Amino acid sequence: MSRRAVLWVAFAIVHLGVAVLGFVAPFLPMGDVTNVYDPWSRAAVAGTGLVGVTEQWVYPQLALIPMVLARGFAWIAGYEAGWAILVTLCNALTFSLLVSRPRSRGRITAAWFWLAFIALLGPVAMYRIDAITVPLALAGCLWLVGRPMLGSILLAVATWIKVWPAALLAAAVVAVRRRLTVVGGALLVTAVTVGAVVVAGGGPHVLGFISGQTGRGLQLEAPVSMFYLWRAVAGVEGSFVYYSDDMLTYQVAGPQVDLVIAAMTPLLVLAVAVVAGLGAWRAWRGASFARLFPTLALAFVLTLIVFNKVGSPQFMTWLIAPIAVGLVIDRRRWTRPAVLGLLAAGLTQLIYPFTYLGLLMVEPLPVLLLTARNGLVVVFLVWTLVDLARVPARRSIPVSAPAPSA
């Protein structure tokens, strides 16, 4: 059996296994698909409401498209199975692009990494809207050099489905030589999307996915929540876990939590600005795309995870694209980041869905697992920032000559 055939067999096994696990694992890991994607798409098809157009929505407007497309496969075994089939097809398209050169060890390694990541992360790697953005983002990154307009368009489409691929677009603007082409592709997608929403009468809700985030509290799994979570474990009065009916998530409460909530968004913006400045400095020094882009993209993504007041388990899927691109370019150098990413994925599945009930009950072991995962992600960010600062430069900084003596 050829190397490519083995990969495709593994692709089928992993996707089938994870899809089935979504039906049998505890704590309803496909809950978002069942409880929100299904009714949203049903209303859109029936003409009784378009989220993001007729009402405020937590996602960018293009996220509704895959939710509606999944209905086309729902006749097979229900909407959840239809969603899994859609995700598998999207992944298959990008996977075929990735393994199109079977003699490229970097591409083969990246393909195995992607499959291992899905298997280790489990159902949330498929049963979340982020699963649609991952193949789009990865394909966009792979095309940034040869076809920057196409790569930029794919990344922009992914961004208008779930915001996180904007981090990859930002890294591309810094690292790619044809920056205007990248910006042009993103602006084109944005103009078409916004124009369509406005024409449909959704002008007041165009940016609702941004304003809707301001009311969020500290989600249970976010790194910043660890302080309050351990206080709850210790039984300290005033610190506890509660369910937010508005955000449909579990959040933490405790002393001065409102101040922390208010500080997180400015802190995230500042952290992103620091990473952007560091990347721009290395680009100005002449760093190559191959060395700069995947490292900068990973730094942006990890920053969005570490400094976020939301900490959903599917956020780990954001690591796939920058690490896979790094493996394609230099598999030996990117082995360590790949291992760290896989470890974070495995810990995340242990937390959700398998020990999540214990986490909600603030039992020590699940909280310890979550702390280890979040600690790993923080260390990963620090390591990536150090690596970014060390990206080789081609341009030396001129040193002023000493003034001639009198």
Side-chain angles (χ1 to χ4, degrees):
M1 187 179 292
S2 68
R3 182 183 299 178
R4 185 185 296 181
V6 171
L7 276 166
W8 278 110
V9 170
F11 178 94
I13 293 173
V14 167
H15 282 75
L16 179 60
V18 172
V20 171
L21 187 60
F23 286 87
V24 300
F27 222 86
L28 195 64
M30 61 171 62
D32 283 19
V33 176
T34 302
N35 298 328
V36 289
Y37 303 173
D38 187 8
W40 282 336
S41 62
R42 192 185 303 275
V45 171
T48 57
L50 286 174
V51 284
V53 177
T54 60
E55 60 184 272
Q56 290 285 88
W57 200 27
V58 69
Y59 296 128
Q61 283 75 7
L62 294 188
L64 187 60
I65 294 177
M67 295 177 190
V68 171
L69 289 176
R71 304 208 69 81
F73 303 102
W75 61 271
I76 298 174
Y79 185 77
E80 294 83 0
W83 179 266
I85 291 170
L86 178 64
V87 170
T88 300
L89 290 175
C90 291
N91 283 354
L93 290 173
T94 299
F95 197 77
S96 64
L97 172 66
L98 192 60
V99 302
S100 60
R101 302 174 190 173
R103 294 185 179 180
S104 170
R105 293 185 177 180
R107 285 176 173 261
I108 297 303
T109 303
W112 281 116
F113 163 77
W114 188 8
L115 293 180
F117 199 103
I118 293 173
L120 287 171
L121 186 57
V124 295
M126 292 188 70
Y127 293 104
R128 295 293 187 274
I129 189 64
D130 306 65
I132 299 294
T133 62
V134 169
L136 285 171
L138 180 52
C141 290
L142 292 173
W143 270 325
L144 273 176
V145 174
R147 301 176 182 178
M149 175 62 77
L150 178 57
S152 174
I153 287 174
L154 289 176
L155 288 173
V157 169
T159 299
W160 276 97
I161 293 175
K162 187 74 182 283
V163 176
W164 77 267
L168 307 180
L169 267 174
V173 171
V174 173
V176 175
R177 302 297 181 188
R178 297 167 63 181
R179 294 181 178 88
L180 292 179
T181 302
V182 172
V183 173
L187 289 178
L188 176 63
V189 172
T190 299
V192 171
T193 302
V194 171
V197 172
V198 171
V199 169
H205 307 305
V206 169
L207 299 179
F209 61 94
I210 296 177
S211 60
Q213 301 299 315
T214 57
R216 282 186 176 271
L218 299 185
Q219 190 168 326
L220 174 63
E221 302 101 306
V224 69
S225 300
M226 292 302 94
F227 170 74
Y228 296 105
L229 196 52
W230 278 109
R231 282 174 58 92
V233 171
V236 178
E237 185 178 356
S239 294
F240 55 89
V241 175
Y242 70 97
Y243 185 74
S244 169
D245 292 318
D246 293 332
M247 293 297 145
L248 305 179
T249 58
Y250 289 94
Q251 300 180 160
V252 295
Q256 307 301 321
V257 70
D258 289 336
L259 290 178
V260 176
I261 292 170
M264 288 309 296
T265 297
L267 186 60
L268 175 60
V269 172
L270 177 61
V272 168
V274 170
V275 173
L278 186 56
W281 173 52
R282 301 319 291 168
W284 178 77
R285 292 290 308 278
S288 67
F289 170 85
R291 185 64 176 83
L292 178 60
F293 174 74
T295 305
L296 179 58
L298 181 59
F300 272 131
V301 165
L302 286 167
T303 298
L304 291 182
I305 295 173
V306 170
F307 291 93
N308 208 319
K309 60 183 177 181
V310 181
S312 302
Q314 63 267 24
F315 284 10
M316 292 300 110
T317 62
W318 304 355
L319 301 175
I320 294 172
I323 295 177
V325 172
L327 289 169
V328 169
I329 294 172
D330 188 348
R331 61 187 178 88
R332 288 189 177 89
R333 198 171 178 288
W334 277 81
T335 297
R336 185 180 300 174
V339 170
L340 290 175
L342 293 174
L343 183 57
L347 285 171
T348 300
Q349 185 173 187
L350 286 177
I351 297 160
Y352 185 87
F354 291 105
T355 62
Y356 199 68
L357 181 58
L359 184 65
L360 297 182
M361 298 174 67
V362 291
E363 295 176 357
L365 179 58
V367 174
L368 184 61
L369 286 173
L370 179 59
T371 304
R373 197 284 306 273
N374 284 341
L376 173 65
V377 173
V378 171
V379 171
F380 200 179
L381 173 60
V382 172
W383 181 87
T384 304
L385 290 175
V386 172
D387 188 52
L388 179 60
R390 294 176 176 175
V391 170
R394 296 177 180 175
R395 180 186 305 165
S396 60
I397 299 177
V399 178
S400 300
S405 57

